[in-house]
Amino acid sequence: QVQLVESGGGLVQAGGSLRLSCAASGGTFSSYRMGWFRQAPGKEREFVASISWSDESTYYADHGKGRFTISRDNAKNTVYLQMNSLKPEDTAVYYCAVRIGNANEYKYWGQGTQVTVSS
């Protein structure tokens, strides 16, 4: 089964940067799309970015365009989310997830990593 472990979260001042990592194991990654989501206290989970494991096609939510970059390292089975120019409203738990093949839903989820942006 697919297992996902996020890391790299922490406390950063507004305007700073963080790089989140998602280490994946237990699956065949060629047909995967990897996604990053976030959930702030009292709010619904929202999409942040995604990348295809095979062709590197990417999608970004409007809130992260120009500031966030998703990438992958096939050799390490790891997906990254580089976050620059962070804002207090970026504060949330960030989750890595996997959508397999042509499925509509992200089936596998990590435990999340906390990102806190101070003013």
Side-chain angles (χ1 to χ4, degrees):
Q1 62 183 23
V2 175
Q3 297 180 355
L4 305 171
V5 180
E6 302 98 331
S7 62
L11 176 64
V12 65
Q13 290 183 301
S17 299
L18 285 173
R19 176 171 288 187
L20 306 183
S21 298
C22 174
S25 63
T28 302
F29 302 99
S30 61
S31 65
Y32 288 7
R33 176 164 284 276
M34 309 290 295
W36 285 98
F37 295 77
R38 69 185 187 184
Q39 187 168 25
K43 297 184 178 180
E44 296 182 351
R45 182 177 294 175
E46 65 177 347
F47 172 79
V48 177
S50 70
I51 185 169
S52 170
W53 201 270
S54 60
D55 63 12
E56 300 186 79
S57 61
T58 59
Y59 295 92
Y60 294 93
D62 287 342
H63 62 74
K65 289 181 178 178
R67 301 188 299 124
F68 295 176
T69 303
I70 189 170
S71 62
R72 61 167 172 79
D73 185 333
N74 285 13
K76 297 181 179 179
N77 293 337
T78 299
V79 173
Y80 304 96
L81 182 68
Q82 178 68 43
M83 303 188 293
N84 299 325
S85 302
L86 284 163
K87 307 173 182 178
E89 50 263 45
D90 295 319
T91 295
V93 177
Y94 284 70
Y95 297 91
C96 181
V98 173
R99 191 180 72 195
I100 299 175
N102 294 320
N104 293 325
E105 301 291 333
Y106 285 84
K107 184 176 181 179
Y108 300 99
W109 297 80
Q111 82 289 343
T113 185
Q114 176 71 48
V115 171
T116 302
V117 184
S118 63
S119 60

